[in-house]
Amino acid sequence: MIELRELRGVGIGTGVVVGPVLHVARQAAVAPTDAPSTIGAEAEVARAREALAAVSAQLRERAAGADDATRDVLEAQALMTDDPALLDGVESKLAGGITAEKAVADSFAEFAAMLADAGEYFAERAADLHDLSDRAVAVLQGRSTELVVDPGHPYVLVARDLAPADTAVLDLDRVLAFVTSEGGPTSHTAILARQRGIIALVGATGVESLPEGVEVIVDAERGRVSVDPDAAELADAEARIAARAAAASAPIGPGVLADGTPIKLLANLGKPGEAADAVRLGAEGVGLFRTEFLFLDSADAPTVEEQTASYREVLAAFPGKRVVVRLLDAGADKPLAFLSPGEEENPALGRRGLRALRASESVLRDQLAALAAAADGTEAELWVMAPMVATVEETRFVSDAVHGVGIPVAGVMVEIPSVALIADRVLAHTDFASIGTNDLTQYTLAADRQLGSVAALQDPWHPAVLRLVSEVGAAGAALGKPVGVCGEAAADPLLAVVLAGLGVTSLSMSPTALADVRVSLARYTPDDAAAIARAALAAEEAADAREAARAAADTITAGR
Ligand SMILES: C=C(OP(=O)(O)O)C(=O)O
Ligand SMILES: [Mg+2]
């Protein structure tokens, strides 16, 4: 047998931890078969009803004692279990004379298949249905529904995936890291890990074969698990753990490269209520306030007064600091009832973002009026930018519209390759650019960001995306205009260095990512960052770019 030395997965966060493996799993199920029922359809229906009701009751009981986020998920799962359509499906299957176990498992599987076809977010929710199915079948088979855990010491939890109902009863203080063979960056395991600051590696295929109790290093930054590490590997891990601990307790300063060159570290916000956390975590301002998040549930366009109040609240949290507000980005993944166009075949290529705003002039006018009113009397520095800009004509339109209401700084998001490719001409007509790498990647690779089946292409490390960023960085440097990044790429500590090396002057991200990015930037000079960026740009594939950047960065730090 080949000795298992290393496993790869998607790291959540950038932490490193050393500890013993503990596998957690439910008592194995006996797979339900097509064998005919021996007790008759009516009795099987009663068993199925009871089992589903028991699972639902258990979920609700757990929800009552859980934190807010987990409670919402558990209640949603209880509702899925109570869904009359599910029971109808079970009953019609039972009419065929099979057992309740089989009918329940098949009905959940049908629902899960429907969700799995609907793309990444929904595909992850299909995992919830597998968990509900396991629980209901366990009840029917008289097995425990619990994961068996309590080793009495800290451990690296290894599982296929974790369901919210499992994590609600785990003693998280003992968990050093989660390592799961399934699940992606939007799985519950990943969400919980981010919320609680627990190191995690998801989608780590093969992790089931790790021996129980073996010591491992879980390295989220590098996306790997090292099995039974040697002394040198352990020393490296311990040094990185100590460095992270020191950085976490160090006073929070502004984002800088090793020579003091500033790279402003800003926060992405969706609600004014998120501002306090951003300030606490050292955000130097806001790089992207997604205004459409305020109105996702609104049937009608918000009033000027309503908007002014929300914008004021955000501005008030950042006196003397930059706050970049994005005009409503409706359409595709962020539909707004009052602004999105009707049915379109390809909404991501349709009338979204600025295009939708120009088609509903009163909404645009009201938003600009509200922003101008909010800026009046604020001590924050308000910058306003438009999403989904494709041309120089649109750039000029945005600058005129924003300046026209008395807001002095107007910018465009670079999310469409056309504006990146002629960034020199675009930047000549605007005050700043902010690169939205989520959409820029989607449009560069022609891979729908909501579709799980093409998720592998949605990788901002792709050298084509990096080359577009370098075009914008170079144009910004030549014209003396700031260029930010506000897509998820900015939150990747190594990619952040690459972006700085490509000429990006600010990075905006979810506030929890700020600390790791700040530490990473401070390790490299502008020349180092440029060398690391060149290594990534020269690659052929996204994965190669990441590896090349890592190797270049390691060579630089090893040479000191
Ligand atoms: C920041 C971006 O905007 P959103 O994710 O809101 O579309 C982006 O596209 O990268
Ligand atoms: Mg976008």
Side-chain angles (χ1 to χ4, degrees):
M1 198 179 86
I2 301 169
E3 202 190 343
L4 190 60
R5 292 281 301 131
E6 189 177 289
L7 283 165
R8 298 241 158 215
V10 178
I12 307 298
T14 56
V16 182
V17 77
V18 182
V21 159
L22 180 83
H23 290 270
V24 303
R26 246 182 284 289
Q27 240 179 311
V30 181
T33 68
D34 280 328
S37 164
T38 52
I39 56 172
E42 210 171 304
E44 294 287 4
V45 168
R47 290 181 68 227
R49 275 179 188 278
E50 260 173 47
L52 291 172
V55 172
S56 170
Q58 188 188 53
L59 292 167
R60 288 184 200 282
E61 191 186 308
R62 267 177 211 184
D67 59 57
D68 287 357
T70 312
R71 181 169 54 242
D72 289 349
V73 176
L74 292 175
E75 280 171 356
Q77 289 197 325
L79 282 176
M80 286 188 207
T81 315
D82 296 338
D83 188 342
L86 176 77
L87 195 60
D88 285 352
V90 171
E91 288 187 4
S92 77
K93 286 184 178 34
L94 288 174
I98 57 173
T99 61
E101 285 86 337
K102 178 72 175 154
V104 164
D106 285 357
S107 301
F108 273 115
E110 280 169 15
F111 265 110
M114 264 158 42
L115 283 183
D117 283 345
E120 186 184 5
Y121 176 78
F122 292 104
E124 294 286 7
R125 303 293 75 84
D128 296 354
L129 288 172
H130 293 312
D131 178 61
L132 297 178
S133 176
D134 281 357
R135 281 173 190 280
V137 172
V139 171
L140 285 162
Q141 293 181 337
R143 287 180 292 112
S144 163
T145 55
E146 300 312 321
L147 293 174
V148 200
V149 217
D150 189 17
H153 57 74
Y155 61 97
V156 171
L157 186 158
V158 173
R160 193 181 66 166
D161 199 2
L162 289 171
D166 296 327
T167 53
V169 292
L170 268 181
D171 178 1
L172 292 176
D173 291 341
R174 287 215 200 271
V175 177
L176 297 169
F178 297 130
V179 181
T180 64
S181 57
E182 293 182 8
T186 51
S187 62
H188 282 305
T189 308
I191 292 168
L192 178 75
R194 280 194 204 96
Q195 269 171 2
R196 305 295 287 259
I198 296 173
I199 294 163
L201 206 70
V202 296
T205 316
V207 77
E208 301 88 346
S209 49
L210 287 177
E212 187 80 355
V214 70
E215 184 171 66
V216 291
I217 300 172
V218 183
D219 184 340
E221 181 171 10
R222 294 179 183 158
R224 73 182 178 216
V225 176
S226 307
V227 187
D228 196 12
D230 60 25
E233 288 173 309
L234 279 174
D236 173 64
E238 299 298 352
R240 289 174 58 211
I241 292 167
R244 270 196 105 222
S249 57
I252 299 177
V256 283
L257 294 174
D259 68 336
T261 301
I263 302 288
K264 244 186 214 308
L265 294 180
L266 307 167
N268 286 356
L269 303 183
K271 297 266 159 66
E274 295 164 9
D277 259 355
V279 171
R280 186 177 54 79
L281 293 165
E284 297 172 62
V286 177
L288 169 64
F289 179 41
R290 291 181 160 107
T291 54
E292 62 283 348
F293 279 28
L294 294 169
F295 309 115
L296 283 174
D297 298 329
S298 310
D300 301 315
T303 63
V304 173
E305 293 69 32
E306 199 181 332
Q307 294 189 65
T308 307
S310 296
Y311 306 151
R312 273 219 176 105
E313 208 180 325
V314 174
L315 291 166
F318 294 93
K321 306 257 174 70
R322 179 192 308 173
V323 174
V324 183
V325 176
R326 171 170 76 185
L327 296 175
L328 293 166
D329 184 16
D333 57 324
K334 301 183 275 292
L336 293 180
F338 57 90
L339 195 51
S340 301
E343 277 294 297
E344 290 179 331
E345 283 276 324
N346 292 305
L349 302 181
R351 222 168 57 187
R352 64 168 288 204
L354 180 64
R355 302 168 189 180
L357 281 171
R358 290 183 84 173
S360 295
E361 256 188 59
S362 64
V363 176
L364 174 59
R365 221 181 11 249
D366 283 358
Q367 186 169 29
L368 287 170
L371 285 165
D376 207 19
T378 178
E379 286 171 45
E381 196 186 318
L382 173 64
W383 293 18
V384 174
M385 67 181 180
M388 288 293 294
V389 173
T391 66
V392 168
E393 187 277 327
E394 289 177 349
T395 307
R396 296 169 74 132
F397 172 85
V398 172
S399 296
D400 290 348
V402 173
H403 294 158
V405 295
I407 298 169
V409 189
V412 294
M413 287 192 75
V414 177
E415 303 182 281
I416 302 178
S418 60
V419 286
L421 289 164
I422 55 164
D424 51 347
R425 278 143 276 179
V426 169
L427 273 166
H429 296 283
T430 188
D431 303 312
F432 72 98
S434 180
I435 306 174
T437 45
N438 309 335
D439 276 311
L440 186 61
T441 308
Q442 149 164 276
Y443 294 124
T444 304
L445 278 302
D448 187 335
R449 65 193 266 191
Q450 292 183 277
L451 200 58
S453 55
V454 294
L457 288 166
Q458 181 69 30
D459 190 336
W461 276 98
H462 195 283
V465 178
L466 300 180
R467 184 177 284 188
L468 292 173
V469 172
S470 78
E471 288 289 339
V472 189
L479 294 166
K481 305 261 169 101
V483 171
V485 168
C486 62
E488 286 302 307
D492 174 330
L494 183 58
L495 189 45
V497 176
V498 170
L499 296 171
L502 296 175
V504 165
T505 54
S506 67
L507 296 165
S508 191
M509 63 204 77
S510 120
T512 49
L514 287 164
D516 286 330
V517 171
R518 189 179 293 114
V519 171
S520 179
L521 289 174
R523 286 188 197 140
Y524 308 98
T525 64
D527 284 349
D528 295 340
I532 296 168
R534 273 196 302 279
L537 264 181
E540 294 184 351
E541 304 287 348
D544 304 338
R546 191 184 281 111
E547 290 287 319
R550 162 91 358 244
D554 286 350
T555 308
I556 287 166
T557 41
R560 291 199 177 127

Coordinates of all heavy atoms in Angstrom, one line a residue, residues 288 290 292 326 329 333-334 352 413 415 436-439 449 486-487, ligand 1:
L288 N -16.6 48.6 -1.2 CA -17.8 48.2 -2.0 C -18.9 48.2 -1.0 O -19.0 47.3 -0.1 CB -17.6 46.9 -2.6 CG -18.8 46.2 -3.2 CD1 -19.3 47.1 -4.4 CD2 -18.5 44.8 -3.7
R290 N -22.6 47.3 -1.3 CA -23.5 46.7 -2.3 C -25.0 47.2 -2.0 O -25.7 46.5 -1.3 CB -23.5 45.2 -2.3 CG -22.2 44.6 -2.8 CD -22.2 43.1 -2.7 NE -21.3 42.4 -3.5 CZ -20.2 41.7 -3.0 NH1 -19.9 41.7 -1.8 NH2 -19.4 41.1 -3.9
E292 N -27.7 47.2 -3.5 CA -28.9 46.4 -3.9 C -29.3 45.4 -2.8 O -30.4 45.0 -2.7 CB -28.6 45.6 -5.2 CG -27.5 44.6 -5.2 CD -26.1 45.3 -5.4 OE1 -26.1 46.5 -5.7 OE2 -25.1 44.6 -5.1
R326 N -21.7 51.5 -4.4 CA -22.0 51.1 -5.8 C -23.4 51.4 -6.1 O -24.3 51.1 -5.2 CB -21.7 49.6 -5.9 CG -22.2 49.1 -7.2 CD -21.7 47.7 -7.5 NE -22.4 46.7 -6.7 CZ -22.1 45.4 -6.7 NH1 -21.1 45.0 -7.4 NH2 -22.8 44.5 -6.0
D329 N -26.9 47.3 -8.4 CA -26.5 46.3 -9.4 C -27.6 45.2 -9.5 O -27.5 44.2 -8.9 CB -25.2 45.7 -8.9 CG -24.6 44.7 -10.0 OD1 -25.1 44.7 -11.2 OD2 -23.7 43.9 -9.6
D333 N -27.6 37.5 -10.8 CA -27.6 36.9 -9.4 C -28.2 37.8 -8.4 O -28.4 37.3 -7.2 CB -26.2 36.5 -9.0 CG -25.2 37.7 -9.1 OD1 -25.4 38.5 -10.0 OD2 -24.3 37.8 -8.2
K334 N -28.5 39.0 -8.7 CA -29.1 39.9 -7.7 C -30.4 40.6 -8.2 O -30.4 41.8 -8.5 CB -28.0 41.0 -7.3 CG -26.8 40.4 -6.7 CD -25.8 41.4 -6.3 CE -24.9 41.9 -7.4 NZ -23.9 41.0 -8.0
R352 N -28.5 44.2 -17.0 CA -28.2 44.2 -15.6 C -27.3 45.4 -15.3 O -26.8 46.1 -16.2 CB -27.6 42.9 -15.1 CG -26.3 42.6 -15.7 CD -25.6 41.4 -14.9 NE -25.1 41.9 -13.6 CZ -24.1 41.3 -12.9 NH1 -23.5 40.2 -13.4 NH2 -23.7 41.7 -11.7
M413 N -16.8 50.1 -12.2 CA -16.3 48.8 -11.9 C -15.8 48.2 -13.2 O -16.4 48.3 -14.2 CB -17.5 47.9 -11.3 CG -17.8 48.3 -9.9 SD -18.9 47.1 -9.1 CE -17.7 45.8 -8.8
E415 N -15.7 44.9 -14.7 CA -16.2 43.5 -14.5 C -16.4 42.9 -15.9 O -16.6 41.7 -16.0 CB -17.6 43.6 -13.9 CG -17.6 44.3 -12.5 CD -19.0 44.3 -11.9 OE1 -19.8 45.1 -12.2 OE2 -19.2 43.4 -11.0
G436 N -14.1 44.2 -10.3 CA -14.9 43.1 -9.7 C -14.5 41.8 -10.2 O -15.0 41.4 -11.3
T437 N -13.6 41.1 -9.5 CA -13.1 39.9 -10.1 C -14.1 38.7 -10.2 O -13.9 37.8 -11.0 CB -11.9 39.4 -9.3 OG1 -12.2 39.5 -7.9 CG2 -10.6 40.2 -9.6
N438 N -15.2 38.8 -9.4 CA -16.2 37.7 -9.5 C -16.8 37.8 -10.9 O -16.8 36.7 -11.6 CB -17.3 37.9 -8.5 CG -16.7 38.1 -7.1 OD1 -15.6 37.7 -6.8 ND2 -17.5 38.8 -6.2
D439 N -17.3 38.9 -11.3 CA -17.9 39.0 -12.7 C -16.8 39.0 -13.8 O -17.0 38.4 -14.8 CB -18.8 40.2 -12.8 CG -20.2 40.0 -12.2 OD1 -20.7 38.9 -12.6 OD2 -20.6 40.8 -11.4
R449 N -21.3 32.2 -13.0 CA -20.8 32.1 -11.6 C -21.8 31.4 -10.7 O -21.5 31.1 -9.6 CB -20.4 33.5 -11.0 CG -21.6 34.4 -10.9 CD -21.2 35.9 -10.6 NE -21.1 36.2 -9.2 CZ -21.0 37.4 -8.8 NH1 -20.8 38.4 -9.6 NH2 -21.0 37.7 -7.5
C486 N -12.4 44.6 -5.7 CA -13.4 44.4 -4.6 C -14.1 43.1 -4.8 O -15.1 42.8 -4.1 CB -14.4 45.5 -4.6 SG -15.4 45.7 -6.2
G487 N -13.6 42.2 -5.7 CA -14.1 40.8 -5.8 C -13.5 39.9 -4.8 O -12.6 40.3 -4.0
Ligands
LIG1 C1 -17.5 42.6 -6.5 C2 -18.2 42.2 -7.5 O1 -19.5 42.4 -7.5 P1 -20.7 41.3 -7.2 O2 -20.0 40.1 -6.6 O3 -21.6 42.0 -6.2 O4 -21.3 41.1 -8.5 C3 -17.6 41.4 -8.5 O5 -18.3 41.1 -9.5 O6 -16.5 41.0 -8.3

